Amino acid sequence: MRPILVPSMAVLLAAACASPQDRAGCSASPDCPVGQYCAHTPDGSVCWPDAVAPAVSGVTVTCAAPCLRDSELHVEATVTDDAEVLDAAVTLDVGGPAVPLARAGASWTADVPLGRFPFDHFTHGVVATVTARDGARNETSVDASGVTTVTRLRWEANLQASPSPLAVNSSGVLAIPTS
């Protein structure tokens, strides 16, 4: 039985160490099966296995204070990979579509217009999650280190005396008598 096992192990080792000529050709990573990226070698571009997901770090979210419902969130993250980063996007915990991040060196950034997202809250700590994919379509997701409080509050005033009766018109505009 042992002589059969040794040749089988040799075949497996030979398959694992296949040369680039034994792999499918590609022009870009999406041409390769999931789990492989397009490695550019001196002998041509070939699909090569990649089981290592990209690394996402330093996720920051900023918004001018007060961060209003129709403001923009600025999202920035550092994304790295041992081979290549295919894309990155940010999602918000309030729902809505993912927003692609644009690469600027190792940093990836996006300005997220909050007006495009559902927002069923008066004030809410919005959590942004950055998801990055490498050429083999391995994914990593990281939440921003803190939440960004978004509000519908437009203004507030400290009224010293008890005001006269207030009026609200049919479009929701509040009228406060001044005398």
Side-chain angles (χ1 to χ4, degrees), residues 96-108:
V99 175
L101 280 86
R103 182 190 320 237
S107 291
W108 291 71

Side-chain angles (χ1 to χ4, degrees), residues 21-145:
Q21 291 81 10
D22 297 337
R23 302 209 173 262
C26 57
S27 60
S29 290
D31 296 339
C32 296
V34 171
Q36 297 183 6
Y37 73 100
C38 188
H40 304 287
T41 70
D43 297 328
S45 297
V46 294
C47 295
W48 205 260
D50 179 10
V52 179
V56 178
S57 61
V59 178
T60 60
V61 179
T62 55
C63 184
C67 188
L68 300 175
R69 165 71 182 98
D70 54 357
S71 296
E72 280 191 345
L73 293 180
H74 179 75
V75 179
E76 188 166 338
T78 301
V79 180
T80 58
D81 188 63
D82 60 340
E84 70 175 335
V85 177
L86 185 62
D87 57 29
V90 61
T91 55
L92 303 180
D93 70 332
V94 293
V99 175
L101 280 86
R103 182 190 320 237
S107 291
W108 291 71
T109 62
D111 289 319
V112 181
L114 290 170
R116 290 184 21 202
F117 293 85
F119 195 78
D120 298 331
H121 313 277
F122 182 75
T123 298
H124 178 68
V126 174
V127 177
T129 301
V130 172
T131 301
R133 291 185 319 151
D134 65 11
R137 272 82 80 212
N138 298 312
E139 285 189 1
T140 300
S141 294
V142 174
D143 292 346
S145 57

